[in-house]
Amino acid sequence: MISSAVDPVQLEEVRKRVFLALFIALAVALHAVEYLLPSPLPWFRFGLANILTLTALFLYGVRAAWVVTLCRILIGSLLLGTLFSPAFLLSMSGGILATLLMTSSFRFFRPRIGPVGVSVLGALGHASGQLLIAWLLIVRHPSIWLMLPFFLLFSLISGIINGLAADMLLEFLLKHPAFSRLKNSCRFSVENNDTGSL
Amino acid sequence: MALGATLKRLTRFDRYLVLSLALLVSASFLLLWGRQSGSRIVVDADNRTVFTAPLDDARHFEIEGPLGTTRMEIADGAVRVLSSPCPQKICIGLGDARRAGDLLACVPNRIVVRIEGEKEGEAYDLLSR
């Protein structure tokens, strides 16, 4: 698995790029499937793509998380035909606020906070960001804030679910040799239950 | 079983964070409680106010939008949408609006109906443009 003929630092860089590309592709796929699912409440989405943002954040750091989120929103909107539409603005504003909250909570609280905590903050930020832009640009009447509690409740639940899924994904990925170098630098608590990859 | 392991890995900070946020969200629901009953409806088509009426008198009215005519009625101190040319009919599904701040909207037809309360007094009882 580890090639001895290649500079390990370079190898790690390339690996990171490849995996980020995979994460983005998965995130776009999840985003698209969610968008296409019929639902009586059209604006309430689970945001499953955030699972990949969280994974990128915990594995590769703040910048990687931003890359995954922004690319996911742009490519996803392009694919779904909503690029630059009002729905895109809502998605963008929610995504930016969510990622801001996630990356800052990650940076400041890192050893103590885990994927679930970061995810919940991200989900709540997403909902608030969307309502904020909807209020400023579309509805323009304070009555829209009456929907805030329902959105927040839904975000809380989906945030917890996404966080748990991301945690499980991280745990699963970190067991693979491709991520062995990251074990010590990324996670909030590392259970070294396998003997190593080399 | 992966879920069990994950739940065990939740840090104390995480648990407290989620708990306090859950409390915050529940508290936000209390904001919905203390709202006064409405006295008037204001209808905006395309972000321009085109119609206001008191909630006390029963009446039927129609508002024109880009997709067609949306029919609404005021009855029993509440306003509701009867029919609308939009594809998903979410506006009809929203039901009654009766308290100050309640909102009904048919987004495809660009119509928003809001309820205003006692305090926001106006000089006229009914306005139609």
Side-chain angles (χ1 to χ4, degrees):
Chain A
M1 182 71 220
I2 309 290
S3 158
S4 54
V6 176
D7 168 28
V9 173
Q10 235 181 359
L11 181 66
E12 208 48 48
E13 256 304 297
V14 171
R15 273 221 189 107
K16 176 169 117 168
R17 297 239 180 98
V18 170
F19 277 116
L20 283 186
L22 277 172
F23 290 164
I24 295 173
L26 282 170
V28 169
L30 285 170
H31 180 92
V33 166
E34 263 194 309
Y35 184 86
L36 295 172
L37 281 176
S39 146
L41 311 162
W43 305 289
F44 289 74
R45 306 247 169 240
F46 272 110
L48 293 172
N50 269 310
I51 298 176
L52 277 316
T53 303
L54 284 165
T55 313
L57 178 65
F58 277 87
L59 285 176
Y60 293 118
V62 168
R63 185 175 273 193
W66 275 110
V67 163
V68 172
T69 304
L70 291 176
C71 288
R72 182 255 298 179
I73 296 179
L74 284 171
I75 299 176
S77 312
L78 188 64
L79 243 119
L80 293 170
T82 62
L83 193 62
F84 299 140
S85 72
F88 170 76
L89 282 176
L90 292 177
S91 210
M92 210 35 149
S93 61
I96 289 181
L97 186 61
T99 313
L100 247 152
L101 279 177
M102 289 199 278
T103 51
S104 20
S105 65
F106 179 78
R107 207 183 291 170
F108 294 135
F109 296 113
R110 196 198 313 152
R112 286 171 291 165
I113 202 171
V116 179
V118 174
S119 170
V120 168
L121 285 174
L124 292 176
H126 197 102
S128 314
Q130 285 194 313
L131 267 180
L132 192 70
I133 292 297
W135 174 54
L136 286 176
L137 296 180
I138 303 179
V139 175
R140 296 221 137 250
H141 193 268
S143 297
I144 193 176
W145 292 105
L146 293 171
M147 300 176 72
L148 185 69
F150 299 101
F151 272 108
L152 288 185
L153 183 63
F154 195 82
S155 307
L156 186 74
I157 299 174
S158 55
I160 294 175
I161 296 176
N162 285 345
L164 292 173
D167 191 284
M168 289 193 273
L169 180 64
L170 279 168
E171 191 62 18
F172 180 76
L173 286 179
L174 284 171
K175 293 203 180 105
H176 192 278
F179 294 99
S180 58
R181 286 173 207 281
L182 301 172
K183 261 205 194 106
N184 302 320
S185 66
C186 82
R187 286 288 303 259
F188 57 101
S189 77
V190 177
E191 271 110 352
N192 260 327
N193 38 18
D194 59 286
T195 55
S197 58
L198 293 167
Chain B
M1 1 115 239
L3 182 60
T6 301
L7 285 174
K8 259 192 291 197
R9 255 202 310 278
L10 278 177
T11 63
R12 186 147 32 124
F13 189 89
D14 267 2
R15 290 181 223 256
Y16 280 153
L17 182 66
V18 172
L19 222 71
S20 40
L21 286 175
L23 282 172
L24 210 81
V25 170
S26 328
S28 72
F29 274 94
L30 294 176
L31 288 174
L32 294 179
W33 250 204
R35 275 177 14 217
Q36 46 173 197
S37 55
S39 63
R40 239 172 48 252
I41 71 162
V42 178
V43 183
D44 295 344
D46 224 353
N47 274 326
R48 258 182 47 248
T49 305
V50 294
F51 186 75
T52 75
L55 269 178
D56 315 326
D57 309 320
R59 75 180 75 239
H60 275 76
F61 57 96
E62 303 176 351
I63 307 290
E64 294 294 326
L67 290 180
T69 312
T70 297
R71 246 183 239 107
M72 296 185 259
E73 80 165 343
I74 302 178
D76 306 318
V79 60
R80 78 183 118 251
V81 180
L82 293 176
S83 73
S84 190
C86 51
Q88 288 186 306
K89 314 279 186 226
I90 294 177
C91 44
I92 302 177
L94 288 174
D96 292 349
R98 62 178 68 241
R99 281 189 285 182
D102 275 354
L103 208 65
L104 293 176
C106 180
V107 180
N109 216 13
R110 320 276 270 130
I111 293 175
V112 177
V113 181
R114 21 178 240 271
I115 310 287
E116 278 176 6
E118 306 284 329
K119 303 225 181 80
E120 297 150 87
E122 285 259 75
Y124 14 84
D125 294 313
L126 190 148
L127 171 70
S128 175
R129 261 179 241 172

